[in-house]
């Protein structure tokens, strides 16, 4: 079906659009009372992710309630390790926990590559969302970058330093490459199926890019992101590598259309280093804790920095859970009012 609002797709393809498209990372869930009330009736986060009708419903909420220019499918990057044989639990107020983690070669031998069918609930949710959207706005599909997924498979949950995952790169670099390749092949299959189900754009989240050294990033992350990006031919691809300022120049060679910038990144520098790429971002999510005037002023200031360069407005990372939805709306409306 043809898209009625295709600003995101045109901007991703390098067009200077008549106004800047806007959406927020982590816009589905977390901040909306309407999400919280659905969530409260369920056994937990996983029930929501694995029930296509419910996942579809919360995917549509920010489109209808906030007026963003894209939907992003409600899921998690951790469905990939689960489909490979490492299941996760989502502990209330704490985050993900993997009862079994990767420690040895035997653990890795017990993993399997994703064939596709394991994640049918995601594809079904995508089909339902597409049906409901009726081409109103595009739908973004996503996955974690292999390095970020490996972090959780080794660490078993969130961490400030992911030092066990980084230790693994030092002590077991060969095994690390074996797992990274398996995650890459699984992710390719997964993302191809998301596109077949109707995803209009794919974003790859490398949330833990910034904890690697430039040499490690070049060895353990970029080649796998490139393999995934190169395999997606039918829709634009966005790569968001949090904290990877040191790699922006190399990222200009990735087979993707858009690079996401976090709020620490220098926009002027990124514009030069990433000439051929659309840029996405990069308002500090904390700006949304300010009052109306300060949100409007800072959003406008951010937009000015991208003027004349293909741009998709977003925050520099996911919206924080305690952000007031009205403040998110002020941000969205400020972008829509800006003369690009
Ligand atoms: O807009 C959306 O919220 C869409 C759905 C979405 C996305 C894109 C969720 C739902 N998770 C993600 C991606 C994701 N998950 C990332 C990459 C993006 C980023 O860096 O923000 C990462 C690192 C995760 C892993 C994860 N899932 C964490 C972080 C753990 C840590 O400390 O390292 C947590 C807390 C989750 C749980 C989760 N996923 C999504 C939601 C709404 C939640 C909160 C749980 C709940 O509602 O009960």
């Amino acid at each position: 079906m043809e898209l009625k609002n295709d600003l995101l797709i045109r901007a991703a393809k390098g067009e200077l659009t008549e106004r800047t498209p806007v959406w927020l990372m982590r816009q589905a869930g977390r901040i909306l009372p309407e999400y919280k009330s659905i969530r409260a009736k369920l056994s937990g986060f996983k029930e929501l992710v694995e029930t296509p009708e419910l996942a579809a419903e919360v995917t549509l909420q920010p489109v209808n309630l906030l007026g963003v220019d894209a939907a992003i499918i409600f899921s998690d990057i951790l469905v990939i390790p689960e489909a490979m044989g490492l299941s996760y639990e989502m502990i209330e107020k704490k985050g993900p926990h993997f009862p079994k983690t990767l420690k040895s070669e035997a653990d890795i031998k017990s993993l399997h590559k994703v064939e596709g069918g394991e994640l049918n609930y995601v594809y079904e949710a995508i089909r339902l969302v597409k049906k409901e959207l009726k081409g109103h706005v595009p739908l973004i599909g996503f996955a974690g970058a292999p390095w970020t997924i490996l972090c959780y498979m080794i660490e078993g949950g969130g961490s400030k330093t992911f030092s066990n995952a980084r230790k693994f790169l030092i002590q077991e670099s060969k095994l690390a490459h074996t797992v990274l390749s398996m995650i890459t092949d699984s992710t390719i299959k997964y993302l191809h199926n998301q596109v077949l189900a109707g995803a209009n754009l794919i974003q790859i989240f490398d949330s833990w890019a910034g904890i690697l050294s430039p040499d490690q990033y070049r060895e353990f992350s970029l080649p796998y992101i490139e393999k995934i990006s190169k395999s997606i031919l039918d829709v634009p691809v966005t790569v968001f590598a949090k904290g990877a300022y040191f790699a922006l120049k190399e990222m200009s060679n990735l087979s993707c259309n858009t690079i996401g910038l976090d709020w620490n990144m220098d926009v002027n520098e990124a514009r030069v280093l990433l000439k051929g790429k659309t840029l996405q971002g990069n308002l500090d999510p904390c700006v949304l804790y300010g009052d109306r005037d300060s949100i409007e002023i800072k959003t406008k200031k951010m937009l000015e920095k991208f003027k004349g360069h293909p741009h998709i407005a977003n925050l520099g990372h996911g919206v924080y859970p305690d952000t007031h939805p009205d403040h998110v709306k002020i941000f969205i409306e400020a972008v829509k009012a800006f003369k690009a």
Side-chain angles (χ1 to χ4, degrees):
M1 187 190 293
E2 213 165 294
L3 291 167
K4 293 182 189 92
N5 174 347
D6 63 353
L7 286 167
L8 177 88
I9 305 300
R10 285 193 282 126
K13 289 182 175 167
E15 207 177 291
L16 291 169
T17 46
E18 56 278 21
R19 88 165 162 77
T20 309
V22 56
W23 69 283
L24 287 85
M25 289 187 277
R26 313 297 295 269
Q27 68 188 16
R30 291 184 142 192
I31 53 164
L32 292 170
E34 291 81 357
Y35 167 83
K36 290 177 194 156
S37 82
I38 293 182
R39 182 74 171 69
K41 291 186 213 132
L42 305 174
S43 62
F45 173 76
K46 285 182 90 171
E47 187 182 351
L48 186 46
V49 167
E50 291 165 13
T51 311
E53 294 73 21
L54 296 174
E57 188 177 344
V58 298
T59 298
L60 293 164
Q61 284 175 343
V63 178
N64 299 327
L65 299 165
L66 302 172
V68 282
D69 292 309
I72 177 162
I73 189 68
F74 187 81
S75 185
D76 199 274
I77 61 168
L78 303 176
V79 300
I80 278 285
E82 177 153 275
M84 291 175 72
L86 282 191
S87 68
Y88 70 96
E89 298 161 359
M90 197 59 82
I91 300 171
E92 289 302 314
K93 300 206 160 59
K94 268 193 76 187
H97 170 70
F98 287 80
K100 224 180 90 199
T101 56
L102 296 185
K103 290 190 194 73
S104 64
E105 195 164 2
D107 297 330
I108 289 160
K109 286 217 164 96
S110 72
L111 296 175
H112 50 84
K113 280 193 201 171
V114 171
E115 296 301 330
E118 305 89 334
L119 294 162
N120 276 340
Y121 58 87
V122 179
Y123 317 136
E124 183 54 22
I126 290 177
R127 282 190 287 269
L128 291 173
V129 171
K130 289 287 289 189
K131 215 166 117 195
E132 289 285 320
L133 277 175
K134 298 187 184 73
H136 177 50
V137 292
L139 174 63
I140 301 170
F142 72 90
W147 157 245
T148 287
I149 297 297
L150 182 70
C151 281
Y152 289 99
M153 291 170 97
I154 290 174
E155 208 77 40
S159 161
K160 282 208 172 73
T161 58
F162 283 96
S163 56
N164 288 309
R166 290 192 291 129
K167 180 171 37 168
F168 197 78
L169 299 187
I170 301 283
Q171 294 184 341
E172 300 286 358
S173 64
K174 225 174 132 226
L175 281 182
H177 280 297
T178 305
V179 190
L180 287 164
S181 281
M182 286 179 80
I183 300 169
T184 299
D185 292 346
S186 301
T187 303
I188 288 173
K189 189 91 203 166
Y190 178 48
L191 292 176
H192 285 188
N193 283 333
Q194 290 191 33
V195 173
L196 282 176
N200 300 102
L201 181 148
I202 293 295
Q203 175 154 324
I204 301 166
F205 287 91
D206 205 357
S207 307
W208 300 110
I211 62 176
L212 294 181
S213 71
D215 282 348
Q216 283 179 317
Y217 199 62
R218 201 170 291 130
E219 177 176 352
F220 294 103
S221 191
L222 278 177
Y224 299 102
I225 293 178
E226 171 58 10
K227 193 170 175 198
I228 297 168
S229 304
K230 214 163 84 186
S231 81
I232 300 169
L233 302 172
D234 299 330
V235 301
V237 175
T238 299
V239 175
F240 173 66
K242 172 94 179 57
Y245 1 83
F246 54 82
L248 287 182
K249 190 167 188 297
E250 282 161 86
M251 290 174 77
S252 72
N253 297 320
L254 286 173
S255 304
C256 69
N257 308 72
T258 302
I259 299 289
L261 302 181
D262 71 44
W263 70 92
N264 290 137
M265 290 175 180
D266 186 274
V267 176
N268 283 329
E269 191 187 4
R271 285 178 67 137
V272 175
L273 295 175
L274 295 160
K275 241 192 193 91
K277 303 284 188 217
T278 296
L279 297 174
Q280 176 172 277
N282 76 335
L283 194 76
D284 178 352
C286 278
V287 168
L288 303 190
Y289 293 126
D291 61 14
R292 173 181 285 276
D293 280 356
S294 95
I295 297 172
E296 285 177 350
I297 290 165
K298 287 178 176 131
T299 300
K300 195 160 172 255
K301 207 168 149 196
M302 179 273 284
L303 291 163
E304 292 284 356
K305 291 192 203 158
F306 291 94
K307 217 166 174 168
H309 194 107
H311 180 217
I312 298 164
N314 207 310
L315 303 179
H317 199 185
V319 58
Y320 295 131
D322 61 345
T323 306
H324 198 290
D326 287 348
H327 288 210
V328 176
K329 276 195 218 162
I330 295 169
F331 164 64
I332 292 166
E333 276 151 27
V335 176
K336 288 184 172 177
F338 183 75
K339 275 256 141 280

